[in-house]
Amino acid sequence: MHSFMNAKAMAKLLRQALGERHIDITHSDSLELVSRQFGFANWNMLSARIDRAIAGSGPLPDGWFKAGKSPQLYDTRIDQENGATALIASRPDLLDEVRGDDFCTIMQSVDAEAFRHRRMRLAGELRTEDVGTGATVWFRIDGAGGTLLFDNLELQRPDGPLVGTQDWAERSVVFDVPDTALSLHYGFFLKGTGRCWARRFSLVEVDASVPTNSRKGPVLPRPTNLDFGRPAAH
């Protein structure tokens, strides 16, 4: 089911369909027609409504911004009622459109120069309410050719994403920052429906006693149980 957030794509399809029937209209005319289908007087009013939906319902903490696969489906803001936390919440009016792989993140990007050759631990505390797919922190290091290191804990058991309703819990990712790193990106995200609060983020150097995430997760030392004959231990 389409919503007003899909208006531009719908206008393009409408114009193509009419063109196949030898009815030529401009792109602007197509946008105006779609706007009226959604009950708006004109495209300017619908466009302003889309911009408000993308921006969310309130200001974010300084230095942080909203991103993700489908940020228009989520509200984001500072939640002062819960101790100056940051909140991501699926929009009540758009719940029918949220799929399990839709997600929104509140994130930050910084220059990597001061962190090269250092083992850095990104950590934050999360609390969730009625989360469908999961909520977690994530950390990515980029170089000239793209992503060098990335982890969002989705393969971690335990200490992976929070699901359902859970009280404050810390999650962290540890990386050795390569000398080819250009930028660091990190934050927390909500995937699917629900609400997630975050607080007490930190990015600090740790010593060699703290293992990096490259040593964690379901990475086996050698191929194992390829015939599926041995059940997992409980």
Side-chain angles (χ1 to χ4, degrees):
M1 179 183 296
H2 290 294
S3 77
F4 67 89
M5 299 300 301
N6 308 116
K8 289 185 177 180
M10 293 175 65
K12 182 178 180 180
L13 291 173
L14 174 61
R15 189 181 180 195
Q16 289 175 347
L18 291 175
E20 292 171 357
R21 292 164 174 77
H22 307 291
I23 302 173
D24 294 326
I25 63 173
T26 67
H27 182 61
S28 295
D29 288 339
S30 186
L31 287 171
E32 295 294 334
L33 290 172
V34 171
S35 299
R36 293 191 179 188
Q37 287 182 307
F38 284 111
F40 293 86
N42 53 55
W43 167 246
N44 287 336
M45 294 181 65
L46 176 53
S47 178
R49 179 67 181 85
I50 293 172
D51 289 342
R52 289 197 299 272
I54 293 175
S57 60
L60 292 174
D62 184 38
W64 297 79
F65 62 94
K66 179 180 183 180
K69 177 183 178 182
S70 35
Q72 73 277 4
L73 300 178
Y74 298 85
D75 285 334
T76 55
R77 64 178 184 272
I78 299 172
D79 186 4
Q80 297 288 357
E81 295 181 3
N82 287 276
T85 61
L87 170 68
I88 302 175
S90 54
R91 292 173 51 111
D93 56 325
L94 297 175
L95 284 181
D96 290 342
E97 299 184 30
V98 180
R99 302 294 179 259
D101 60 347
D102 285 315
F103 73 92
C104 178
T105 182
I106 294 177
M107 64 174 290
Q108 193 167 96
S109 299
V110 299
D111 192 294
E113 183 176 1
F115 304 97
R116 292 175 188 142
H117 306 291
R118 300 167 64 184
R119 179 165 295 188
M120 303 302 301
R121 180 178 185 264
L122 181 280
E125 295 182 1
L126 305 179
R127 179 170 74 87
T128 59
E129 182 179 287
D130 299 326
V131 168
T133 305
T136 182
V137 304
W138 61 274
F139 189 12
R140 191 182 80 232
I141 300 177
D142 288 352
T147 299
L148 301 174
L149 295 166
F150 173 77
D151 199 344
N152 58 16
L153 306 179
E154 288 195 323
L155 298 179
Q156 300 295 326
R157 296 294 185 274
D159 299 329
L162 279 64
V163 179
T165 299
Q166 297 195 42
D167 202 357
W168 292 107
E170 185 182 71
R171 293 293 184 267
S172 65
V173 179
V174 180
F175 283 140
D176 288 327
V177 182
D179 59 1
T180 55
L182 295 179
S183 56
L184 310 184
H185 310 267
Y186 49 82
F188 74 103
F189 71 73
L190 169 64
K191 183 178 285 189
T193 56
R195 298 203 291 176
C196 176
W197 292 263
R199 68 181 184 186
R200 298 177 182 171
F201 262 70
S202 62
L203 182 64
V204 298
E205 185 174 11
V206 294
D207 60 33
S209 67
V210 180
T212 66
N213 276 58
S214 60
R215 301 175 188 173
K216 296 181 180 179
V219 179
L220 301 171
R222 63 188 63 84
T224 301
N225 198 29
L226 300 185
D227 64 356
F228 312 122
R230 186 173 66 255
H234 294 287

